[in-house]
Amino acid sequence: MKSLRYSLKLIGLAVIATVLTGCLASCRPNALPGQAPAQSPDSEDPTRLTVLAAASLTDVFQEIGAAFTVANPGSEVIFSFAGSQQLAQQLNQGAPADLFASADEEQMAIVAQSSRIAQARVRRFAANRLTIVLPSDNPGSLFTIQDLARPGIKLIVAAPEVPAGRYTEQFLVNAANGPELGPDWVNLVAENIVSLEPNVRAVLSKIALGEADGGIVYDSDLTNYFPERVDNIQIPAELNIRATYPIAVVEDGEQKELVQRFIAFLFDPEAQAILRRHGFESVAPQ
Amino acid sequence: MSGQIDKPRLPPLLLLASLPLILFLAIPLLALILNVPSAQLLGHLTDPLVAQAIRLSMTTTILTTALAIVAGTPVAYLLARFDFRGRTLIDTLIDLPIVMPPAVAGIALLLAFGRQGLIGRHLSAFGIEIAFTTAAVIMAQSFVAIPLYVKTAAAGFRAASRDLEQAAMLDGAAGLQTFRFITLPLTWSILLTGAIMSWARAMGEFGATIIFAGNYPGRTQTMPLAIYLGFEIDFDVALTLSTILLILSFGVLFVVKRLLHQQIAAMH
């Protein structure tokens, strides 16, 4: 009995010691892995920037990031692309980052609530519009915007929780109020929607695969990814929305100097030209 | 000092060694439940979107489990009892969906049964399009969950005593009769366990569903999908949905296991 109690005490001590060691080595307050990059920006790595950016910025930001690294040798930019609403939640839960670029103002405001970004320091760096995308072989025979309402057509859009989905709803409201299309058109279109995707790139992918007859994505999505597999129908300017992309420094990020250089770079002619090349509208720096 | 003669005492060392894992599984679940105010929980239950998701999840997973039993039992029996050329291949094939990332399963299903898919394009000609339908949800769940049933059932068939079966066949019972009256009663508890595992996996299925079936309330938005998107608008909504899913799953699993335990105890 005595030896059993002794062994138990030993094991208990060993377990406690292991747990404590593990905790001290890796515990960080407010660390949430999730889809954020596994490595956090800290003082051991003075040249790495962590940027959380909306899914629609995937290709353009990667190119801008590469250009930035060339202009700033020794620096590294790590991106995490996802629906802005996902990134906003991650930031509010404490995900480590230096910059947040959202596809709409709402998600930026949500992050401002947790004070991880300062609303006063938010700047808009690009704009985007919606467009109707279809597979290049046009299985649904869509030629005009009215065709979207044809019964039996399959449409996919981003979920209303996603900025692209919210913009889509806004466009539909505009269409309902406008003289050309009206509420009947909107109702028929709504009936044709078969899926609400968690980000705009998922919409694009499924269209490119030919799974649906049409979808609503950003103008910028047309130039990326699968330009030869998709086609588009333009949305009339008076019905379209204008999505402005805000970007903000994460207040508790550690790369204070590098992050300012990235923002300056973003508003430089080179980056703005890259944005335009990817289908975004460039915005005057604010 | 000594416990009852028929129930051995739990060795304390064994208990201590098991504690870390039990705690590791229990603590996050506890944290989840503790973070949801119960008033919100009841309120959300009446939310039409939540109700739709629960109903869809229950319907599809029950159908998937039924499919598992009907389609999976022959395969399990085949793998357990017969040796033939290609047996290892089929066995590995059944294992694949278990190790495959669910998203990959979703993409594969899309490439097979989507509108331009290998099989899908021919079905399309007849006007049958599977993606974005509830049937697609069941297919996605089946793909990832039925292999679990097959593995468990095969293990059950392998372990069943052949003596009784052989005796029955000597007495003139046909193959199917032997299966129905001898094998099944011997193995039903393991088959049921496999069915529960399959159901549980189907309940949690997300990746293949969202890619193959899409996301639409009432039609394809199962509870995991509703939670995923709920997480993005409102953390509290996600918490509530997650807790409901947890309680539902825990409830069903617990009740069935209890029943099984009682039945097995009664048999001895």
Side-chain angles (χ1 to χ4, degrees), chain A residues 54 83-85 102-104 107 130 158-168 218:
Chain A
S84 315
Q85 74 289 356
S102 168
D104 71 6
Q107 298 310 319
L130 293 178
E161 293 85 356
V162 184
R166 212 179 352 266
Y167 288 135
T168 304
Y218 293 114

Side-chain angles (χ1 to χ4, degrees), chain A residues 85-86 154 195-196 213, chain B residues 115 129 210-211 215 228 232:
Chain A
Q85 74 289 356
Q86 265 185 301
K154 288 193 179 165
S195 188
L196 307 165
D213 299 312
Chain B
R115 275 209 320 200
E129 289 182 3
I210 200 164
I211 290 182
N215 169 57
Y228 183 71
E232 293 162 5

Side-chain angles (χ1 to χ4, degrees), chain A residues 39-180:
Chain A
Q39 285 155 305
S40 48
D42 56 35
S43 43
E44 294 147 29
D45 220 329
T47 59
R48 174 182 279 155
L49 263 187
T50 306
V51 180
L52 304 190
S56 47
L57 295 167
T58 306
D59 305 281
V60 68
F61 257 32
Q62 276 171 342
E63 198 177 320
I64 291 177
F68 178 78
T69 321
V70 164
N72 293 274
S75 69
E76 196 187 344
V77 190
I78 305 233
F79 294 104
S80 179
F81 298 107
S84 315
Q85 74 289 356
Q86 265 185 301
L87 299 170
Q89 282 299 332
Q90 288 173 7
L91 281 167
N92 280 351
Q93 294 292 316
D98 296 296
L99 274 175
F100 175 43
S102 168
D104 71 6
E105 309 284 348
E106 232 185 87
Q107 298 310 319
M108 190 56 80
I110 286 175
V111 182
Q113 280 170 16
S114 69
S115 304
R116 289 204 71 195
I117 62 114
Q119 191 66 51
R121 292 178 65 186
V122 173
R123 301 174 71 182
R124 281 100 201 141
F125 67 95
N128 215 343
R129 294 183 185 272
L130 293 178
T131 190
I132 299 163
V133 66
L134 23 136
S136 46
D137 57 353
N138 205 351
S141 302
L142 302 175
F143 298 105
T144 66
I145 195 171
Q146 279 84 356
D147 291 336
L148 288 181
R150 195 186 321 136
I153 292 294
K154 288 193 179 165
L155 300 173
I156 34 182
V157 298
E161 293 85 356
V162 184
R166 212 179 352 266
Y167 288 135
T168 304
E169 284 188 332
Q170 185 57 51
F171 153 61
L172 291 176
V173 167
N174 294 348
N177 293 332
E180 249 196 51

Side-chain angles (χ1 to χ4, degrees), chain B residues 144-201:
Chain B
V144 301
I146 293 185
L148 283 172
Y149 171 76
V150 174
K151 281 190 82 63
T152 315
F157 288 138
R158 232 174 270 130
S161 153
R162 312 291 174 90
D163 300 341
L164 286 171
E165 292 179 9
Q166 281 163 354
M169 290 211 264
L170 273 173
D171 280 345
L176 214 56
Q177 276 183 312
T178 315
F179 182 78
R180 203 174 137 215
F181 293 109
I182 309 288
T183 321
L184 221 48
L186 279 177
T187 55
W188 73 268
S189 58
I190 302 188
L191 297 188
L192 188 60
T193 308
I196 306 171
M197 284 178 65
S198 202
W199 174 81
R201 176 66 185 88

Side-chain angles (χ1 to χ4, degrees), chain A residues 1 4 7-8 11-12 15 35 85-86 89-90 93 107 110 135 137 139-140 154 156 159 161-162 166 190-191 193-198 206 209-213, chain B residues 1 9 12-13 16 20 49 110-111 113-117 129-133 209-217 219-221 228-235:
Chain A
M1 229 37 232
L4 179 65
S7 338
L8 273 178
I11 291 176
V15 168
Q35 288 181 25
Q85 74 289 356
Q86 265 185 301
Q89 282 299 332
Q90 288 173 7
Q93 294 292 316
Q107 298 310 319
I110 286 175
D137 57 353
K154 288 193 179 165
I156 34 182
E161 293 85 356
V162 184
R166 212 179 352 266
E191 272 168 42
I193 295 175
V194 291
S195 188
L196 307 165
E197 300 292 328
K206 290 197 180 176
L209 277 173
E211 290 309 319
D213 299 312
Chain B
M1 223 22 124
R9 264 180 72 200
L13 247 69
L16 202 63
L49 235 60
L110 210 53
L111 292 173
F113 299 105
R115 275 209 320 200
Q116 318 273 37
E129 289 182 3
I130 305 177
F132 309 121
T133 62
T209 313
I210 200 164
I211 290 182
F212 182 47
N215 169 57
Y216 200 83
R219 204 184 301 159
T220 52
Q221 188 176 74
Y228 183 71
L229 282 157
F231 172 73
E232 293 162 5
I233 25 162
D234 189 345
F235 195 58

